[in-house]
Amino acid sequence: LAFPIGYGVMDYVQTKRKNPISILGVVNTLLTGGLALMKTGGIWFAIKEAAIPFAIGVFVLVTLRFKKTAIESFLNMSGILKFDLINQIAQEKQKTSELKKHFQKCTLLFGASFFISAILNFIIGILVFKPIDSNLAAAAQSQVLNDQIAKMTWMGYVGISLPLMLFTGFILWYLFKGLNKITELKMEDLMALSPKQKALLDEKQKSELNTEPEN
């Protein structure tokens, strides 16, 4: 529990917003521990592993009905893109509807990534969480279950996280390609400066002003 709670607290102190990723991390860990304590069958672990990404995928698709899609909200909250500039150019070029459709397509891809994750999690969960011999001592049963959870964790990283990272990279590439087509701006022009970059730029501009020769 330490990592999701610690990260969530740090993020909240910095942004003053609750981090849904940290909350999901805590819920996921509690569910794993709860199922282990209840000594449930392997099928429930497989369902649990699939349930969270499936629920996120459903929520992502539901945001297609909202004013802002999941992709727009995520990018806007993170401050990655210059949304005001992108919307302004889209309005000037009369491409507002095209921009909205592009964000919707990216959101569909984003949602699909969670459904793929849910399917892969369920398949790996079924393969990993085998029935434990009830004749074993309680300590031995716990050890077998812990081994299965550990196996599920590393198989999830290798068989799910890495492929989905590549898929997420494709979504970002598709996002920027579409924004470039709509706004005719390069990726670096679409990206917002971080607070550190802004501070360095301000210092550079002040330095240049101070070193300009007097007329």
Side-chain angles (χ1 to χ4, degrees):
L1 295 174
F3 179 77
I5 291 176
Y7 178 78
V9 170
M10 182 185 71
D11 186 73
Y12 182 77
V13 169
Q14 292 177 345
T15 65
K16 303 302 179 185
R17 290 195 301 263
K18 296 177 182 177
N19 191 303
I21 303 300
S22 296
I23 294 172
L24 283 172
V26 172
V27 170
N28 184 51
T29 307
L30 288 174
L31 285 174
T32 301
L35 291 174
L37 289 173
M38 291 187 293
K39 303 184 186 300
T40 55
I43 184 66
W44 290 106
F45 279 95
I47 292 172
K48 189 273 298 183
E49 293 295 333
I52 290 181
F54 180 82
I56 298 173
V58 170
F59 174 75
V60 169
L61 294 188
V62 168
T63 64
L64 291 170
R65 297 282 186 177
F66 295 175
K67 185 176 180 181
K68 285 186 178 181
T69 62
I71 283 287
E72 291 174 272
S73 298
F74 172 73
L75 293 172
N76 194 25
M77 285 175 60
S78 61
I80 295 174
L81 295 177
K82 298 176 181 176
F83 260 95
D84 292 339
L85 178 62
I86 292 169
N87 289 323
Q88 179 186 339
I89 294 175
Q91 289 176 359
E92 291 173 354
K93 293 179 175 291
Q94 297 182 341
K95 292 185 176 181
T96 304
S97 60
E98 185 179 343
L99 178 64
K100 187 65 178 177
K101 288 179 181 178
H102 181 59
F103 280 130
Q104 289 175 340
K105 289 178 183 177
C106 292
T107 298
L108 282 171
L109 289 172
F110 191 48
S113 69
F114 288 103
F115 290 122
I116 293 171
S117 175
I119 293 170
L120 293 176
N121 269 297
F122 185 77
I123 292 172
I124 294 177
I126 289 293
L127 295 174
V128 170
F129 291 105
K130 300 294 185 181
I132 300 173
D133 187 356
S134 58
N135 294 322
L136 292 173
Q141 290 185 35
S142 296
Q143 182 60 51
V144 172
L145 181 57
N146 284 336
D147 291 341
Q148 290 180 349
I149 293 172
K151 187 176 181 181
M152 179 70 200
T153 301
W154 75 258
M155 287 185 70
Y157 279 121
V158 175
I160 300 173
S161 297
L162 290 178
L164 286 180
M165 282 177 64
L166 295 175
F167 189 60
T168 302
F170 167 76
I171 295 173
L172 290 173
W173 170 82
Y174 181 76
L175 170 70
F176 280 105
K177 182 182 179 183
L179 292 177
N180 171 257
K181 181 181 178 182
I182 294 168
T183 64
E184 298 180 0
L185 293 177
K186 296 180 180 179
M187 187 172 73
E188 55 266 28
D189 297 322
L190 294 168
M191 300 285 286
L193 294 176
S194 66
K196 186 176 180 180
Q197 289 173 321
K198 288 180 181 179
L200 290 172
L201 183 61
D202 290 340
E203 288 180 9
K204 182 179 179 182
Q205 290 175 343
K206 288 179 182 179
S207 177
E208 289 175 351
L209 288 173
N210 292 332
T211 55
E212 283 184 358
E214 295 182 0
N215 294 329

